[in-house]
Amino acid sequence: DGNSRANACDHHGPNCWHYGNSPLPATFSIRSNSMMNLYLYLCIVILIALAVIDFKTFMLPNYLTYPFILSGLAINLFSSARLCSPTESMIGAIIGFVTLWLCNKAYYLYAKKDGIGMGDAKLLAGLGSNFGWLWVFPSLLLASILGLIGGLIWLRMKGLSTTEAFPFGPYICLVGILWIVDYLFKLR
C-alpha cells in the first residue's frame, strides 16, 4: 500500500524514499493517517495554549490537562492508529504524574515548600498517556535542560534572582510539540 509504507524512488537515487505519492523524501513526508494527524494538530494547539497560560499565570488549568491525559488514553485504547500500546499509555500516564509528584515531595521535605506544581505533573502524565512510558523520562530530561536554559534567560529578562520561581510547563509543552512534529514529519 503506497500510503502506509515507504517506497524506493527511481528518480533521485537509491537513498531517496517517498511515502505514498508525496514528492517529498520520506524524512520530510507527512504520515498519511489523516485522523491521527488531526488529533496531533489538536494536541499541538492544546500544548501551545498550556504553554502561554503557564507563562502568564504559573498555572496549567485542569480543563486542558485532564482532556490531554484522557484523549491520549482514548486514542491508544480505542484507535487502530495508536501512538503506543494501551498498556504503555496507561503506565505512561501514571509514571508521568508520579515522577513529578515524587520530585515535589522530595523537594518539600528539603525546603518545606512546594517546588513544582501538580499541573506540571498532569502535563507530563498527558505526554505519557499519548506517547507511552518510554517517552516520559527522555521528555522530562529534555524539558529540564530546556527549562534550565530558558528559565535562566526568563529570570534575567524579568530582572529576578535565580532563587525565584519560573514556569516549567512551557518546556514540557515544547518537548511534546517536538515529539509530535517528529511523528508527523518523521525527522529522523
Side-chain angles (χ1 to χ4, degrees), residues 141-163:
L141 177 63
L142 185 55
S144 296
I145 293 167
L146 294 172
L148 179 63
I149 295 166
L152 289 173
I153 292 169
W154 189 80
L155 290 170
R156 182 169 290 248
M157 287 174 47
K158 298 277 189 181
L160 299 172
S161 156
T162 55
T163 60

Side-chain angles (χ1 to χ4, degrees), residues 43-66:
C43 286
I44 289 174
V45 170
I46 291 169
L47 289 169
I48 290 171
L50 284 165
V52 169
I53 291 167
D54 199 19
F55 264 130
K56 289 183 176 183
T57 68
F58 282 69
M59 301 212 30
L60 293 165
N62 289 337
Y63 66 83
L64 290 175
T65 56
Y66 286 148

Side-chain angles (χ1 to χ4, degrees), residues 12-171:
H12 299 102
N15 294 326
C16 182
W17 290 75
H18 294 283
Y19 277 93
N21 297 325
S22 171
L24 299 173
T27 54
F28 294 104
S29 291
I30 297 173
R31 291 185 181 233
S32 64
N33 186 325
S34 61
M35 289 307 289
M36 179 59 78
N37 289 354
L38 180 62
Y39 170 72
L40 291 171
Y41 288 129
L42 179 62
C43 286
I44 289 174
V45 170
I46 291 169
L47 289 169
I48 290 171
L50 284 165
V52 169
I53 291 167
D54 199 19
F55 264 130
K56 289 183 176 183
T57 68
F58 282 69
M59 301 212 30
L60 293 165
N62 289 337
Y63 66 83
L64 290 175
T65 56
Y66 286 148
F68 186 54
I69 296 167
L70 294 174
S71 65
L73 292 169
I75 202 84
N76 290 312
L77 284 169
F78 304 115
S79 172
S80 61
R82 56 181 59 118
L83 298 165
C84 63
S85 76
T87 303
E88 290 170 338
S89 177
M90 289 183 275
I91 293 171
I94 294 166
I95 289 176
F97 184 84
V98 169
T99 299
L100 286 183
W101 182 83
L102 286 173
C103 287
N104 188 53
K105 288 299 173 194
Y107 183 79
Y108 188 84
L109 290 173
Y110 169 76
K112 303 297 183 236
K113 64 180 182 176
D114 288 324
I116 194 162
M118 290 300 94
D120 296 321
K122 289 178 255 182
L123 179 56
L124 191 60
L127 288 184
S129 74
N130 276 280
F131 296 104
W133 70 272
L134 291 172
W135 291 96
V136 170
F137 294 115
S139 296
L140 183 56
L141 177 63
L142 185 55
S144 296
I145 293 167
L146 294 172
L148 179 63
I149 295 166
L152 289 173
I153 292 169
W154 189 80
L155 290 170
R156 182 169 290 248
M157 287 174 47
K158 298 277 189 181
L160 299 172
S161 156
T162 55
T163 60
E164 297 293 323
F166 62 89
F168 183 51
Y171 305 101

